[in-house]
Amino acid sequence: WSSDVCSSDLTITVDNVSESDSSTIEFLTFNALYSDSKVRFINNPSSFKAMEIIATGGIDVLTDITASVGGIEFVADVDYDTVSNLTDKVTIGYGVNITAAGGDISFNAVGGGVESLGSTEIFASGNIDLQHLFVAGGQTDFRADTDGVDGGNFIQQIGSTINTANNDLLIRANDIDLQSTTDFGTGTASIRISDNGNIGVGDTALDMHISGDELASLSGKELIIGDNQVADIYIDNVTEAQSNNLEKVTFKANSGTSNITLSENGATFNSVELNSKKTMTLSGDLTLDADADLGVDGVDKIVTSDGVTISSEAVLSLSAAQSKIDGLGSLNLTAKEGVDLDLDVETLGILTIDADTDDSGVGDFNLATGKSITTNNNLLDITANDISVVGSVNVGTSDVAKIGRAHV
């Protein structure tokens, strides 16, 4: 059966209600409907099968709460009192966890939004739905679809801005729907898929889709997409405008058979790191507006289609402990402030390396010890301020290894 807890006083206080205490109630509604009334969860954790928490003056969650069978709905400012509504919010205490083991978690706090006072974990087997402002006081961990079964999504409604105050943010879900902005400042934001599916970034929608507009809604120091459970990551037509608010984007496809693919439409980032346990395929141009460090340790190889350009507005650094670049045709590596190769490169067409594209005199080319360049009888064209080749170069029967503007 279901039940309502109603109050004409200012506060409903909940403390230490165990799962067995509430086991006969299928759905419990807390109604604090008197003017500026609160619902407060304090001191010791409480558990109910499913609950709806409604207040006119805000909701304080100062201890762990759990819905063991269903979901949790927060409505913190049901009367939308315009005089005091900025304080009519959901307040989450230091280190508090909110869990819905069998349903959704939704936050409706039109007045003051949601504020966490410290680190918090919000777990739901269904959706997590933010309808208004969320301000974090510590690391925040949103995990929808915790059972990986029926597809729980992370939903950020229009107007539900997230500000992490430079703290780290983790979003793990079957899919995401970002309709508002997220600012994680000097922190790191991570987006992971919950059911080991594929992630599409840009124009291609896969199991999880991070569209170009959703990417543009994120701003901060580093965004990490994927982990060691994702299947494949497909990057398709990410523009400079869409990625410009992110200092660095790191892609992780670190399960045993995971691949990263860049489509022929290409992508532009300020800085990018690609990590894959299997094959990395670049069918389009990869453009970096700042330092580029493609740390690809563990990947079998990077495969580039004919005519691909990998470019950086600063230094382009390509390195891998056990990997190489396989160019299926011509390949262009360009940067303003230097090209550093710490991996083998083999092409089936002309290899063009320009380490000083703006002719500033500061872009050098470096090939590390034990690394090789093989062009299979095709031209190697290097332009740089200076060249350091500690590894080996084999152009086969090509008549010319063209070197421009360098002190050899």
Side-chain angles (χ1 to χ4, degrees), residues 28-65:
L28 180 61
T29 300
F30 295 94
N31 276 315
L33 301 180
Y34 189 80
S35 179
D36 289 330
S37 295
K38 283 181 171 290
V39 177
R40 305 186 76 230
F41 297 85
I42 64 171
N43 296 332
N44 300 289
S46 289
S47 178
F48 302 89
K49 286 188 173 181
M51 64 186 116
E52 181 179 38
I53 307 159
I54 302 172
T56 59
I59 301 168
D60 294 340
V61 185
L62 305 181
T63 187
D64 295 352
I65 61 171

Side-chain angles (χ1 to χ4, degrees), residues 314-357:
V315 177
L316 177 62
S317 177
L318 304 178
S319 62
Q322 299 173 351
S323 181
K324 64 180 293 189
I325 294 180
D326 266 349
L328 301 183
S330 62
L331 173 63
N332 307 300
L333 306 176
T334 66
K336 284 186 177 179
E337 299 178 9
V339 174
D340 296 330
L341 297 183
D342 191 13
L343 78 174
D344 298 333
V345 178
E346 182 174 358
T347 63
L348 298 180
I350 296 172
L351 175 59
T352 301
I353 300 171
D354 190 342
D356 190 16
T357 54

Side-chain angles (χ1 to χ4, degrees), residues 207-218:
D207 302 312
M208 172 183 279
H209 183 208
I210 306 173
S211 70
D213 287 342
E214 288 176 322
L215 202 63
S217 74
L218 304 169

Side-chain angles (χ1 to χ4, degrees), residues 108-126:
N108 182 342
V110 64
V114 181
E115 180 183 14
S116 67
L117 303 180
S119 61
T120 187
E121 295 180 347
I122 299 171
F123 291 179
S125 66

Side-chain angles (χ1 to χ4, degrees), residues 45-241:
S46 289
S47 178
F48 302 89
K49 286 188 173 181
M51 64 186 116
E52 181 179 38
I53 307 159
I54 302 172
T56 59
I59 301 168
D60 294 340
V61 185
L62 305 181
T63 187
D64 295 352
I65 61 171
T66 300
S68 60
V69 176
I72 305 174
E73 181 179 2
F74 296 90
V75 183
D77 189 15
V78 69
D79 61 347
Y80 190 39
D81 176 4
T82 57
V83 176
S84 59
N85 67 311
L86 292 180
T87 60
D88 298 346
K89 58 189 176 183
V90 178
T91 301
I92 304 173
Y94 296 91
V96 165
N97 299 331
I98 299 173
T99 303
D104 303 335
I105 296 178
S106 67
F107 293 95
N108 182 342
V110 64
V114 181
E115 180 183 14
S116 67
L117 303 180
S119 61
T120 187
E121 295 180 347
I122 299 171
F123 291 179
S125 66
N127 297 328
I128 295 176
D129 186 359
L130 293 184
Q131 300 178 29
H132 301 100
L133 172 71
F134 189 100
V135 179
Q139 179 174 319
T140 303
D141 189 345
F142 291 111
R143 300 197 188 198
D145 191 30
T146 52
D147 57 5
V149 176
D150 295 323
N153 299 330
F154 178 81
I155 303 167
Q156 186 185 8
Q157 306 278 7
I158 295 173
S160 59
T161 298
I162 298 175
N163 188 330
T164 73
N166 300 317
N167 292 292
D168 292 346
L169 172 67
L170 170 62
I171 298 172
R172 188 174 185 267
N174 173 68
D175 199 0
I176 59 173
D177 181 5
L178 308 183
Q179 303 176 45
S180 193
T181 59
T182 297
D183 184 356
F184 48 93
T186 59
T188 297
S190 300
I191 298 177
R192 303 172 184 172
I193 191 166
S194 58
D195 56 2
N196 305 328
N198 302 305
I199 299 177
V201 180
D203 286 354
T204 296
L206 296 176
D207 302 312
M208 172 183 279
H209 183 208
I210 306 173
S211 70
D213 287 342
E214 288 176 322
L215 202 63
S217 74
L218 304 169
S219 61
K221 185 175 181 180
E222 182 179 11
L223 172 66
I224 301 173
I225 297 174
D227 58 5
N228 60 1
Q229 295 182 332
V230 66
D232 295 330
I233 298 176
Y234 194 87
I235 307 165
D236 181 17
N237 195 28
V238 176
T239 67
E240 180 179 0

